[in-house]
Amino acid sequence: MKTPAEAAARWRRWRHGWDVVVILVDRDLKALYKRSILGIGWAVAAPLLQLLVFSLVFHRVLAVQVDNYTSFAFCGLLVWSWFQSALSQSTGLITSSQALVRQPGFPLALLPFVTVGVRFIHYAIALPILFVFMAVQGIRPGIAWLALPVVAAVQFVLTTGLAYPLAALNVRLRDTQHVVFVVLQLLMFLTPIFYSVESVPAKYRPWFDLNPMTVLLDAWRGVLLHNHWPAAGPLTLLGLIAVLLVWVGERLFVSQSYRFVDEL
Amino acid sequence: MSHATVQLDHVWKKFRRGQLHDSLRDLIPAVAKKLIGRGPKADELQQGDFWALHDVSFEVKAGEALGIIGRNGAGKSTILKVLTRILRPTRGRVQLTGRVGSLIEVSAGFHPDLTGRENVMLQGSIMGMRPAEIVRKFDEIVGFSGIAEFIDTPVKRYSSGMNARLGFSIAAHLDPEVLIIDEVLAVGDLAFQQRAFGRIAEMVRRDIPVVIVSHQLERVASLCTRAILMEHGRAIYDGGVTDTITMYVQRASQQDTETLAAASDCPVRIGSLNVTTGNNYESGTTASYEIRVETLTPVRQEIEPLQVAVRDMQSGTLVFITSASGLGVDIRQPGARTLNGTLQLNLPPGTYLLETQVTDNYNHRAIAVGPEAVLNVVPGRHFRGQVQLNAELALAPAGDGVRLDAAG
């Protein structure tokens, strides 16, 4: 049993953690777009430019056949960008936050949440553009949209769970950030962003299904574009794996965090 | 009344000189050795390791202010890092509970692109204040720092003094249950230092346990109730603050050269420093000293084999720095030598520390610190101010006087 004093201390810790996450997200958003004309508008402009080039290549040149291609591709692109930018940024998180690492009592384990959160906000800001594309292509919101928070939560937790070990490892081995960069680049083409997973030859298909981003993209598109409830089995499994990853990752991260000052 | 505990229980901390393995090529063999059980045990010394803390224990009770003194590299700052859990002890236990106010690197968390105002919110929150609390205390914090007119300027345009003042002001308004201070009193101008000192003294009076690491012996003497003397990672004396300071002063000149953690080896050993003219000087008089130095291997150009400096023990600042090379003495080739030097103490009355060290010319950091000696400067001919300029003033011979109103 916990004493009331311990419970109060725990409550204060959680509240402080929440305060810190909010203020750091705010700091990152402010600092990211200081002295920039377009500012947070880049959250919209960057994926639009990508969409322009990639849809030209995949849709016009390679003639990928999918209904409502613009909405399909843009949905995939946004979801993927959130994952990719959050993961590549959190890998370098500790090495680029030396001041916070040296701050006595600073709860370092909150940092991955901050990065994944900042990137989620970028994603959320670009979403209305997707809704415009969808409206133009005649797609209407439906009851299955109620599942969106769940899908977003699974992706949030999964990304954070992957971020912990990568950020910790990168302190020891700076090779990590280069490996992550390359792997994410390659994974982008192995994830059905600009093509449909249905068009993958059957003998490769099981490998594609192992990619958690395939599962997540399928869920996002099912809900947003087709008003389908996500398949409960794969998403639940992925959710459990994600929670496990955060649980193990956070412990690993905290146990390693004593070495960060030594090694930075 | 504070319910905080501050306790170090037989704490050891191992450091390694130079670099850890940085790339995969070095790491894989090390990990492999560890896996098959042939690797070194984590809590034993390997080649190149040393104990930065060697079995250190102490407890600070409510109403006690503990000063930690000792030379650079003796383990003072390591104690604070272990205490605040930035570093984990190799062995032993650390207890620190309650809301901790730490005046360590107080402005390090500032984001250069954000304004002072935004950084107060940020840093205050990181240190444990609630947003509403920061808003409530905001004017007080800014007023204390004395930089109100620049509060909406990005912090990157601040001078380092302004940075430190703002950082200190935030930390000083934390209402902590434990206070941990590392050498921060040496920031800002004299007026700000006085204000900062007053603020800390007030917290000590409120029965908050306080731990202070400082070079400013006079500050330690007036703030602390108790002090620990660190030498080579060991707490060699723990007692009343006056006794500990006396002990430090007595032992300072007999210390051997100590190579600091960041440097892998040091080509010079500074064996002894002897002030031959005693400890007490009238302002403007000259002190003579003798230094024994042994150069072990040829000293590269970017290293200064002997730096001599005078530190003001009240402000903690270095008031004078010179070096063997600067004074035209070449001790770069191997050999044992004795050097004789003098210093004319054109200084205001106070306590000064004569320090010796081997310095990296590149970043002006110490590679190794040598023996030290205390110099007490007492009033000589009357003056006020920061430098004794050996002023002369005399009456002109009689008869040469000219009445001012008669001139022209």
Side-chain angles (χ1 to χ4, degrees):
Chain A
M1 262 320 274
K2 291 242 178 319
T3 66
E6 279 170 27
R10 169 173 284 227
W11 159 245
R12 274 206 306 274
R13 257 204 319 280
W14 278 94
R15 200 181 55 182
H16 177 222
W18 173 252
D19 287 345
V20 168
V21 168
V22 170
I23 197 119
L24 285 180
V25 166
D26 182 56
R27 172 198 78 167
D28 282 3
L29 285 175
K30 274 185 188 148
L32 200 54
Y33 296 112
K34 281 260 157 146
R35 313 183 56 159
S36 134
I37 295 168
L38 205 49
I40 195 82
W42 280 110
V44 177
L48 275 179
L49 290 170
Q50 275 179 295
L51 177 70
L52 197 70
V53 173
F54 280 110
S55 63
L56 178 77
V57 172
F58 282 90
H59 196 46
R60 305 286 168 201
V61 179
L62 297 174
V64 170
Q65 288 309 312
V66 180
D67 293 343
N68 299 324
Y69 188 78
T70 311
S71 300
F72 173 89
F74 198 56
C75 175
L77 186 63
L78 289 184
V79 170
W80 172 259
S81 299
W82 174 24
F83 177 73
Q84 181 184 31
S85 56
L87 207 56
S88 58
Q89 255 183 39
S90 27
T91 305
L93 204 51
I94 300 305
T95 38
S96 64
S97 314
Q98 307 205 359
L100 290 178
V101 173
R102 287 166 211 272
Q103 198 87 51
F106 181 78
L108 275 182
L110 296 175
L111 285 179
F113 282 99
V114 174
T115 305
V116 180
V118 166
R119 287 293 139 189
F120 172 73
I121 289 172
H122 280 77
Y123 168 71
I125 286 171
L127 267 185
I129 306 294
L130 174 63
F131 297 155
V132 172
F133 284 135
M134 285 162 54
V136 169
Q137 295 185 314
I139 304 167
R140 302 276 169 266
I143 185 77
W145 283 40
L146 292 176
L148 284 179
V150 178
V151 184
V154 171
Q155 181 166 344
F156 198 108
V157 176
L158 177 76
T159 315
T160 314
L162 293 170
Y164 275 122
L166 291 175
L169 190 62
N170 193 50
V171 177
R172 206 80 205 268
L173 284 175
R174 301 294 153 91
D175 310 51
T176 312
Q177 61 198 42
H178 303 292
V179 172
V180 168
F181 179 78
V182 173
V183 167
L184 283 172
Q185 287 264 301
L186 299 179
L187 200 60
M188 176 168 170
F189 291 98
L190 292 175
T191 303
I193 299 168
F194 299 100
Y195 55 90
S196 159
V197 73
E198 266 76 52
S199 61
V200 173
K203 62 174 173 174
Y204 300 126
R205 184 64 195 272
W207 296 104
F208 276 73
D209 287 337
L210 279 181
N211 177 355
M213 285 313 288
T214 306
V215 178
L216 280 168
L217 271 184
D218 198 41
W220 282 109
R221 282 178 177 145
V223 172
L224 282 169
L225 308 181
H226 305 292
N227 194 24
H228 286 165
W229 291 96
L235 200 62
T236 311
L237 183 65
L238 193 58
L240 288 177
I241 293 173
V243 169
L244 189 72
L245 266 178
V246 168
W247 191 75
V248 175
E250 198 257 358
R251 265 157 189 73
L252 185 87
F253 186 84
V254 170
S255 76
Q256 287 292 305
S257 62
Y258 287 103
R259 316 177 67 135
F260 293 165
V261 170
D262 278 343
E263 299 194 20
L264 278 178
Chain B
M1 188 62 200
S2 164
H3 299 283
T5 42
V6 184
Q7 196 178 10
L8 250 62
D9 187 13
H10 297 284
V11 166
W12 301 61
K13 176 67 191 171
K14 184 174 74 176
F15 272 175
R16 181 167 301 172
R17 297 190 198 284
Q19 289 290 307
L20 286 170
H21 24 241
D22 254 337
S23 75
L24 218 52
R25 210 179 44 201
D26 303 327
L27 183 68
I28 289 175
V31 170
K33 266 190 194 158
K34 219 172 213 172
L35 285 180
I36 56 175
R38 289 208 196 144
K41 282 212 183 111
D43 63 351
E44 284 168 14
L45 287 192
Q46 300 302 310
Q47 198 189 359
D49 291 349
F50 66 101
W51 292 115
L53 293 181
H54 191 116
D55 198 13
V56 177
S57 300
F58 64 78
E59 185 182 357
V60 189
K61 298 199 175 68
E64 243 184 349
L66 174 73
I68 299 173
I69 59 177
R71 302 190 306 164
N72 288 335
K76 295 173 306 202
S77 294
T78 309
I79 289 187
L80 294 196
K81 285 190 179 135
V82 166
L83 198 55
T84 51
R85 304 223 167 90
I86 295 176
L87 291 177
R88 179 159 57 177
T90 312
R91 289 185 220 156
R93 238 158 51 92
V94 175
Q95 272 200 302
L96 180 70
T97 58
R99 174 147 138 171
V100 179
S102 56
L103 303 181
I104 306 174
E105 305 202 28
V106 279
S107 59
F110 284 178
H111 195 291
D113 284 327
L114 300 181
T115 64
R117 182 184 302 274
E118 288 164 336
N119 270 304
V120 170
M121 297 302 295
L122 176 66
Q123 187 67 14
S125 179
I126 287 172
M127 285 179 171
M129 278 192 258
R130 300 231 62 203
E133 193 183 346
I134 308 171
V135 171
R136 193 158 32 93
K137 292 180 179 168
F138 186 82
D139 291 336
E140 212 184 318
I141 292 173
V142 176
F144 191 89
S145 72
I147 57 164
E149 50 183 315
F150 303 108
I151 199 65
D152 289 309
T153 308
V155 160
K156 65 181 167 197
R157 305 209 198 290
Y158 283 20
S159 68
S160 59
M162 288 161 73
N163 255 323
R165 281 157 66 171
L166 190 59
F168 180 91
S169 306
I170 300 167
H173 289 80
L174 207 61
D175 290 336
E177 293 166 314
V178 186
L179 190 62
I180 294 175
I181 304 170
D182 188 6
E183 210 65 87
V184 286
L185 285 173
V187 304
D189 52 30
L190 208 61
F192 182 78
Q193 281 191 24
Q194 293 294 349
R195 223 165 348 157
F197 179 77
R199 182 88 193 181
I200 293 172
E202 184 192 316
M203 292 198 231
V204 174
R205 275 197 302 278
R206 262 190 267 150
D207 270 0
I208 294 170
V210 179
V211 182
I212 300 176
V213 161
S214 184
H215 271 114
Q216 298 157 266
L217 290 190
E218 291 178 16
R219 293 288 200 208
V220 171
S222 56
L223 276 175
C224 298
T225 52
R226 189 180 132 202
I228 287 178
L229 175 57
M230 294 296 297
E231 234 173 61
H232 299 289
R234 294 170 204 251
I236 61 156
Y237 190 81
D238 181 349
V241 66
T242 334
D243 293 347
T244 310
I245 290 177
T246 311
M247 178 82 121
Y248 174 48
V249 168
Q250 280 170 0
R251 293 177 65 95
S253 63
Q254 288 142 35
Q255 299 262 323
D256 199 357
T257 309
E258 183 158 358
T259 306
L260 300 180
S264 45
D265 57 349
C266 178
V268 180
R269 246 195 81 226
I270 306 170
S272 73
L273 166 66
N274 239 320
V275 181
T276 49
T277 41
N279 286 114
N280 297 312
Y281 297 88
E282 270 187 16
S283 190
T285 56
T286 299
S288 303
Y289 58 91
E290 181 192 271
I291 301 178
R292 294 224 170 97
V293 191
E294 191 181 353
T295 307
L296 308 167
T297 53
V299 182
R300 284 172 295 142
Q301 208 56 42
E302 60 267 30
I303 288 174
E304 171 53 52
L306 176 65
Q307 173 182 300
V308 177
V310 177
R311 187 185 293 277
D312 180 346
M313 298 289 256
Q314 195 191 343
S315 68
T317 51
L318 290 172
V319 294
F320 179 77
I321 304 168
T322 188
S323 63
S325 308
L327 297 172
V329 177
D330 184 6
I331 55 170
R332 290 180 184 275
Q333 291 311 313
R337 300 177 179 90
T338 303
L339 305 175
N340 288 307
T342 58
L343 285 165
Q344 194 178 355
L345 300 172
N346 293 330
L347 292 165
T351 311
Y352 297 87
L353 193 64
L354 182 59
E355 299 182 351
T356 57
Q357 67 174 46
V358 184
T359 311
D360 186 338
N361 281 330
Y362 207 65
N363 53 17
H364 301 289
R365 291 231 179 104
I367 294 171
V369 290
E372 300 170 342
V374 172
L375 306 171
N376 292 309
V377 176
V378 297
R381 264 186 298 183
H382 176 77
F383 79 100
R384 286 185 300 140
Q386 302 194 346
V387 191
Q388 153 74 282
L389 292 177
N390 279 334
E392 300 280 351
L393 194 63
L395 284 173
D400 287 359
V402 178
R403 291 186 90 115
L404 290 181
D405 53 359

